[in-house]
Amino acid sequence: MSDIKVSVTFRHTEPTDALKHYVEQKIHRIVKYFAHPLDARVILAVDSKDCQVAEVELHTHGAMIHGKDQNQDMYTAVDLAMDKVQRQIKKQKEKTKLSRRRSHA
């Protein structure tokens, strides 16, 4: 498994170990897409009573992938932001595969 550095920041909310552990688990599931170590920064913020924001930023060799979402529930916001990041990663991998195929043809 790749070595990954995860930084979780809480803004305008009390940090909880359960939420931090949940975010770290989600990040570690994405590691399977990368051959090299990466750096992940996650910001969890409460904008208002009904608006919780999760912002995920992954730094890889040569790319930065960003996902942000908001919801009434912080766990749902994290899930939605991670889904956005995962879609971007898959899209980037497909583009890389296509360009390699074209260069070999």
Side-chain angles (χ1 to χ4, degrees):
M1 179 184 250
S2 293
D3 182 33
I4 181 171
K5 292 176 257 171
V6 181
S7 169
V8 181
T9 305
F10 293 86
R11 292 192 180 149
H12 310 293
T13 185
E14 287 295 317
T16 64
D17 289 335
L19 189 55
K20 184 175 180 180
H21 183 70
Y22 183 75
V23 169
E24 288 172 347
Q25 279 184 318
K26 289 288 200 175
I27 294 290
H28 284 287
R29 288 184 189 155
I30 292 179
V31 170
K32 65 183 176 186
Y33 294 108
F34 299 100
H36 304 289
L38 60 114
D39 180 39
R41 293 188 182 111
V42 181
I43 299 171
L44 305 175
V46 176
D47 282 348
S48 68
K49 183 179 175 184
D50 296 328
C51 184
Q52 314 234 0
V53 179
E55 188 172 352
V56 180
E57 194 175 280
L58 295 176
H59 296 271
T60 66
H61 293 284
M64 187 198 71
I65 300 168
H66 183 264
K68 182 177 180 178
D69 211 301
Q70 59 187 23
N71 198 289
Q72 291 179 341
D73 178 52
M74 184 63 81
Y75 287 93
T76 305
V78 168
D79 287 340
L80 293 171
M82 293 302 289
D83 288 345
K84 287 181 179 181
V85 167
Q86 201 163 7
R87 280 193 302 272
Q88 288 181 41
I89 291 168
K90 287 179 181 179
K91 187 185 285 186
Q92 181 181 5
K93 291 286 185 181
E94 286 300 316
K95 285 182 181 179
T96 304
K97 284 181 187 178
L98 285 174
S99 67
R100 286 182 184 164
R101 287 182 196 155
R102 288 180 186 149
S103 66
H104 289 356

